[in-house]
Amino acid sequence: MLTLIASNLGTGRARERSACLLDQYLNRIGHQTWGGYLSREGLNELLDELRTGANRNTAVQIIHEHAHRFETIALIGSRKRFQDGLVSVGKVLQRRQHTTPEMIRVIRKIAESAALWHDAGKTFRDFQAMIRGNYQGKHALRHYTASYFAYHAWLQSGCQSLDELDFTIRSADSWMIPGHQLPAELTAAIILTHHCKTGDGDEHTLKLDARRFGEGITNRRSEILDLEALGDAWHASCRQRHQQLEQLAGSLPQEAQGLAFYVARATMMLADHAESSWEQKSDYKGARPDSPLPGVPYAKSGPFIPLPDHLFGVMRFCGSATGAFLTHAWPRLARRPEALKTRPRGPFTWQSVAETAIGSLVPKEGDGFFGVVIAETGTGKTQGGYRIMSALSGGHPRYTLGLGYGALAIQSGIEYRRELGLTQEETAIFVGRRHAGSQRQQEAALPTSADGPEALSLEMEHSIGAVDHQLPDAVRLSVTDHQKRLLSTPIISMTIDHIMSAMEADRGTFVTAALRVATADLLIDEIDSFSIGDLHAIGRLLYICGLYARKVVISSATTTPEIAEGLYRAYLAGYVQYQALSGKGRLLIGMFSNRGEQASVGECQDPTGFCDHYTRFVEPISRELLTLPGHRRKLTRFDADATGTREAFFEAIFAEVMQLADTHGAPLFSLPAYATGFVRFNLVKQAQAFTAWLVRHHERLEVETGWRIRANYYGASLDSSARQLIEKRLVELLNRKTEHFTGTQELARLLQEDDQRPTLFLLVTTPLIEVGRDYDFDFAIVEPSSDMSIIQSAGRVLRHRYSLAPKAANISLMPCSLRALEGRRKGRFLYGYPGPGVEQIDPVTEESWRLPLKQPASELFGLDLYQAGVHAGHRIHLAQSPADAKEREVQRAVLLSEEELSLSAFCRHPNPFRDRFFDAIRFRGKGDVEPRYEYRHDGSAFLLSTDEECRVEPEVVGELVNSPLFLIRPRLMKNTRLHSSSVLDWGFAYAPAMGVLDSLAMQLLTDTP
């Protein structure tokens, strides 16, 4: 039950109506105040009734009391009546999309024509026998293939009745149907592909794979189709829709065929889902017999739905579905957050400069926009991104913040709520597959503790967004409540894999993802942190954004010219089709940074012009960074034997750690010195091995150095509960914006130990530390993998202390990758594949992009470039180091070359989906995901979440979590031996402080290497 307080400041009849509704649900405790307890369901009913019939005289605010805090969760009607009280909530604005009538008509008519034919092939005898239970085995022809051939033959027959279908027509399979216009060709393509991938193809045709036609197709020459059973009304409607398509042929230019195919197909699929859901409802008006009648073709069984009713039903929903994609008033933010009403100063001034520059362009609905933010770490890219997206939409933003890491999406969503003051109805957080597959797991990933600064309410479903109660019928019937929140919430912070399905034609989540992409702008943060395969996939997503004229901004301190140009070309290829079909719009570009000119905007629809504009913008930034004195971060290296053992290499790493701690540590209270640093490894197993080495040698190391050593492992292998606790404590411990960190539990415990030795806190981590982590360290040691990795890792050093100049180099580069110690150097990747780094495999030729084997890392990664200062000056302009030059070569090959699998080839392809032609390059979120092991306490035991859920009985076998080494101790049970009879059939040991679940995990606790 939820504790609620409601106030009613409406006037006239609106106030009386609201008071009557509130009286039915809550207790009146004053003239205009109500209070009481409601379930989530009851609250949703109350909000629905209040919103229905609300007008400008309505003013109702509902407050949720939880954890000794009050939070406004809903405001219906006028916000001005509440003035400056507990109200930081503005109502959500509904603003219709502006789409030309010609574009709407073309899309709708193509979708309606495809809807009438998409299941017509179900009239063939094998399928009807299967429906009636009279057919044994798998029928030899798939219904959408029969539908395609039937429509094809119907067109060739002059749109007359069709009794016999001849499969010899397979020899002419392509989009191009002789004697017919483009709309009919697209209709045929939608009919064929509405259940599957869209086939292989080249620049001009869509070739059909015979394997999709079913077993035994080559041995069957014809099939009797009982299309007469569909009725005269169906035949008349088909002819009418075809005549309308022929009349609209002049309104659909050949240049826009990709757009028309994509949008019309998505529209028809949404209508199909809506009709199928409607047919399951108790108030469905059509025929739904319990047993099939003779002579009647059926679309499905259980219940039996007559095929003509299903086809007409899908056609009727096409109007609502078209509106959902092109005209519906999806919610936007109606107010400007209080935190953004003041002009930013200092290192954040560039944000207001960007807003002013965008305002000078006066962007309109239908204008395209591609922007690049190259602001340094620690200069407020999250808030700056919000200001830019708000300025692009006239102060009423609706956009998706796409990120590569779930923890980063959570962090950004929390920042929107806590620092910008956005509410749970205005912004939501959606994390990806590897974080959670269910609603409960997603909420568990958010901070919920009421004793820290990150406390948030998670007791309500509104905590992950609101639901628009004026959804089009097609959407209302076909998507789940979880998906409705994804569509309805104005601002979403999410892992980008949630919307990657928008380009995957055969996935059930395609429609929802396509709707979000079609109706919301897109901001992608830390674009440079994605792998090259991911960038190819993101480019295809931006192509689809261009089809809908959505505005796109990419952001990273280390964006290379190749990434910017490749993604711009993909967006341009889509937007040109929107212009061709709508006949309006201009393509705008923008560059933003905290240095140089800070903002440069203009109109540009030419790749060469974009490159020139980008070069002119980044040249002064690069020059300023290269000549800037007193950089806060400087690089050095240390010596270690690359041919020795791993133990010896770890000894050398720790010696460098102590050298940096001696140099950069500073007194703190009674401690003569206090230093914080991190060691970043390329792979999780290497970080875990170094942590285990610290555990084994902790006592010796403290005696030899005279320092008190505390450390923690921080990597993606940690289960969500341990990782969330560590992240929460790290935010407090490493926030050096103020002196708040001196009051953390960890430091207080150290000071109470009556130990006056100098103290070191060392974080052993992976590439997880590189992006989005608002931590401030004194020093860092990094394993070489790429220039981007070095620059981004350096961004966590002295992140908050702008005026502090280091006495010596505070970032150290390992002399080689740890893979060089594995004894199998020949033919192995040392700085990349299959882990993060520069070296990759060409997906087309399968050749390797490699760095010279015998050249030391200090030369490959430009030690001489970064000795004066670690910055993105070379990264954003001209490549200087061999490693950066090699990475740019990979980016040019995948994003800009003319190879058959390049992003450029995809943008010329008429099929805007990921199909077999592009399956060689995948987005990582769609690949095989390693099992996630997570504890969820259910009273008597734990649940181990893998591909299956296994019940495991706790049995204490070790006390790694209580080791004196760990500064932040996860609040978990001690190590537990896991017993399972399903996926695990032997005992495992789990070390929660390192996320190790392995039969050899217990060896990490011993002195045995």
Side-chain angles (χ1 to χ4, degrees), residues 53 67 157 247 375 383 395 483 487 517 531 541 567 610 619 663 720 772 816 871 915 958 990:
S157 68
Q247 295 170 2
Q383 291 192 21
Q483 294 169 331
L487 299 173
V517 172
S531 71
L541 182 66
L567 298 185
F610 175 84
E619 270 185 346
T663 304
S720 63
C816 65
H871 53 76
D915 59 10
Y990 180 60

Side-chain angles (χ1 to χ4, degrees), residues 104-117 151 154-155 159 177 180-188 190-191 237-252 260 264:
I104 296 171
R105 280 197 295 271
V106 167
I107 299 300
R108 179 171 178 174
K109 295 306 177 184
I110 292 176
E112 289 180 344
S113 182
L116 285 172
W117 280 93
Y151 179 71
W154 182 75
L155 291 179
C159 303
I177 304 175
H180 292 278
Q181 301 295 325
L182 181 61
E185 298 166 4
L186 297 180
T187 299
I190 293 170
I191 293 168
S237 184
C238 289
R239 286 190 290 269
Q240 180 186 18
R241 292 300 181 278
H242 181 70
Q243 291 172 1
Q244 293 171 344
L245 285 183
E246 295 291 299
Q247 295 170 2
L248 290 173
S251 303
L252 179 57

